Amino acid sequence: MKLSHFQFDLPEELLAEYPADHRDEARLMVLNREKQTIEHKLFKDIIDYFDEGDVMILNNTKVFPARLYGNKEKTGARIEVFLLRELNQDQRLWDVLVDPARKIRIGNKLYFGEDETLVAEVIDNTTSRGRTLRFLYDGSYSDFRTKLTQLGETPLPKYIKRDVDETDQERYQTIYAKNEGAVAAPTAGLHFSRHLLKRLEIKGIQTAEVTLHVGLGTFNPVEVEDLSKHKMDSEEIVITEHAANIVNNGKANKKRVCAVGTTSMRTIESSVSSSGTLNPYDGWTNKFIFPPYEFSIANCMITNFHTPKSTLLMMVSAFAGHDFIKKAYDEAVKEKYKFYSYGDAMLII
C-alpha cells in the first residue's frame, strides 16, 4: 500500500478542541468486520459487546508535563522546549525539541521560571529541531523533577490552538495512568471512566496492563510514498508476566482480546512468540504496522479517529481492512464525529 491510499478530506471543525463533557459519553462507532456493519453508539455502550472472561489490554503510561517555556540568555527570546526523553539521570541530560530552533545553538543557555533557578545549556544538535540539553539545578534529583513538573504544562497536540486550561491536566490522562514517561496520551483510553471500568469488572471482563511510553515519533508525518521505507522512532515498552498470562489465557479460551488503542496494539505485536502467544518484555519497539499485516494477539480493538496519512490510520486499516475503514471514515465525516486526541471512539470487532 502507498501513502496516498491514506489521504482523505478532513474538515478542520471535526478536530476536537475539547473532550466530551463526560469521559464515557463520547460517541462510539462500532465496526463489525465479519458482517461489515457500522453502528452508532455512546462509549459507555461498549460494555454490551463484552462478556465474562474477555480481556481488555490497557496502556498504563502516564503523561508528564513535557512543554516548558524558557528565555534565551542575553536576548530574552521566548523559547518553547518540549521534553522528549531523559538520557542521563545523574547528568540531567534530556533529548528535547526547541521552537524556534534557528535561534538555539550549542553553548546557548535557557532560563526557566520567574526566579530563573532552573537553567539549561545546549550541548548538542540532534535534528533540525532536536537538541540535547543539560539542566543545571541546585538541588536533589527529586527536587529537580518536582521543578520540571511545576514549570511544565500538559503537552496538548499542536492542532489544539487554545491555551491549556486546568481541566486538561486531568482529562489528557487516562484514569489508570501509573508509569510516567509519555509525552502524549494513549487517547483511546481517555474514554474510560471509573464507573465504566467498575461495571466491566463486575461483568467479569479482565484487564491486562502494559506500558508504552508514547513519544512524538508516533505522530511523525510519513514522508515516503513506499510505506516499507518509513522508519518509526523507538518507544519504551513493558509487558509483565502477569499481563502476558491474562492475555494468553483469554486467547487460549477463545475470548475477546481487545487492544485499547494503537499503542497497546503496537506493544503486544512487538513481543509475540513463535506459537502466537504474548511474551513478557521490557525494552524498546519501533514496530510499524500497515496493510497487509497478520495480527497475532488481539481480535478486537478500540481506537480514536485518526488524521489523514498517519501511521495510526495505517494500523487501523490493517486491522479492519482498508476499504471498510475508508467507508467508516466517510461516514464519520458525514455524521460529524470528532477526530484525533480529544475526539470520539471506534470499536472494531
Side-chain angles (χ1 to χ4, degrees):
M1 299 218 73
K2 301 275 193 281
L3 177 63
S4 49
H5 290 140
F6 298 93
Q7 175 56 22
F8 66 94
D9 290 328
L10 178 58
E12 203 165 312
E13 68 267 19
L14 297 186
L15 288 169
E17 287 271 317
Y18 290 91
D21 289 343
H22 301 286
R23 285 182 187 267
D24 57 14
E25 290 186 355
R27 294 166 76 192
L28 177 73
M29 181 184 280
V30 183
L31 306 192
N32 186 310
R33 292 178 292 172
E34 191 185 344
K35 297 177 182 169
Q36 293 285 293
T37 55
I38 296 174
E39 295 178 281
H40 303 285
K41 302 282 187 176
L42 291 180
F43 192 81
K44 61 188 178 185
D45 300 328
I46 213 156
I47 194 164
D48 300 334
Y49 295 87
F50 291 88
D51 294 313
E52 188 175 348
D54 289 344
V55 177
M56 284 191 177
I57 303 165
L58 310 174
N59 180 7
N60 65 12
T61 189
K62 188 174 186 180
V63 181
F64 66 92
R67 190 173 274 129
L68 304 172
Y69 293 95
N71 296 99
K72 190 179 168 188
E73 63 179 335
K74 295 181 181 147
T75 67
R78 179 175 150 100
I79 306 294
E80 179 189 310
V81 173
F82 196 103
L83 302 171
L84 290 177
R85 60 174 69 101
E86 188 174 45
L87 300 173
N88 185 302
Q89 186 172 314
D90 295 336
Q91 296 181 40
R92 296 177 190 174
L93 295 182
W94 283 74
D95 249 347
V96 305
L97 296 177
V98 292
D99 190 23
R102 59 192 160 70
K103 296 184 174 180
I104 303 301
R105 298 187 172 90
I106 293 173
N108 287 161
K109 284 202 170 95
L110 298 170
Y111 293 84
F112 301 91
E114 286 177 18
D115 57 4
E116 297 187 343
T117 52
L118 182 66
V119 183
E121 183 181 5
V122 182
I123 62 168
D124 197 10
N125 292 341
T126 51
T127 62
S128 59
R129 286 183 58 212
R131 302 288 185 272
T132 302
L133 296 187
R134 176 184 285 120
F135 282 97
L136 311 168
Y137 182 72
D138 190 17
S140 67
Y141 178 74
S142 65
D143 288 348
F144 162 65
R145 287 303 297 248
T146 301
K147 191 74 177 173
L148 280 187
T149 301
Q150 285 168 352
L151 292 171
E153 69 174 35
T154 303
L156 292 184
K158 282 284 194 189
Y159 83 88
I160 294 179
K161 300 291 189 276
R162 63 177 174 81
D163 289 339
V164 174
D165 64 32
E166 275 180 33
T167 59
D168 292 312
Q169 207 171 338
E170 182 214 345
R171 293 301 303 273
Y172 195 64
Q173 196 83 270
T174 63
I175 58 167
Y176 46 79
K178 288 188 183 74
N179 299 325
E180 192 172 80
V183 299
T187 53
L190 296 180
H191 302 293
F192 286 90
S193 63
R194 284 191 171 77
H195 180 62
L196 178 58
L197 275 181
K198 195 70 194 166
R199 286 175 66 214
L200 289 164
E201 185 191 328
I202 290 165
K203 197 172 179 183
I205 290 109
Q206 295 185 286
T207 54
E209 293 188 12
V210 298
T211 305
L212 181 144
H213 291 315
V214 189
L216 282 187
T218 294
F219 310 102
N220 276 352
V222 179
E223 291 169 338
V224 286
E225 183 65 10
D226 179 354
L227 299 183
S228 65
K229 292 187 166 51
H230 176 69
K231 295 284 182 286
M232 294 285 281
D233 279 4
S234 288
E235 292 165 311
E236 196 174 357
I237 65 174
V238 179
I239 303 165
T240 63
E241 193 168 339
H242 178 63
N245 288 341
I246 293 171
V247 171
N248 291 333
N249 284 340
K251 200 172 174 230
N253 292 322
K254 306 220 170 348
K255 297 295 184 182
R256 196 158 265 178
V257 176
C258 185
V260 177
T262 56
T263 60
S264 296
M265 187 68 91
R266 282 184 62 228
T267 303
I268 59 178
E269 286 295 318
S270 298
S271 187
V272 180
S273 73
S274 55
S275 59
T277 56
L278 184 61
N279 280 337
Y281 182 72
D282 186 343
W284 296 78
T285 182
N286 62 353
K287 192 165 190 68
F288 175 32
I289 297 172
F290 59 95
Y293 182 86
E294 203 66 48
F295 289 83
S296 300
I297 306 292
N299 51 24
C300 161
M301 86 180 286
I302 296 167
T303 188
N304 276 24
F305 288 90
H306 306 296
T307 47
K309 294 185 175 179
S310 62
T311 58
L312 311 169
L313 176 58
M314 292 164 194
M315 179 198 287
V316 172
S317 292
F319 190 74
H322 183 66
D323 291 342
F324 193 23
I325 282 293
K326 196 168 183 315
K327 180 182 165 193
Y329 270 53
D330 287 346
E331 184 145 339
V333 170
K334 191 176 95 201
E335 296 293 330
K336 295 193 163 27
Y337 274 74
K338 291 292 190 181
F339 279 67
Y340 213 37
S341 301
Y342 271 157
D344 295 313
M346 177 185 277
L347 169 66
I348 307 167
I349 56 177

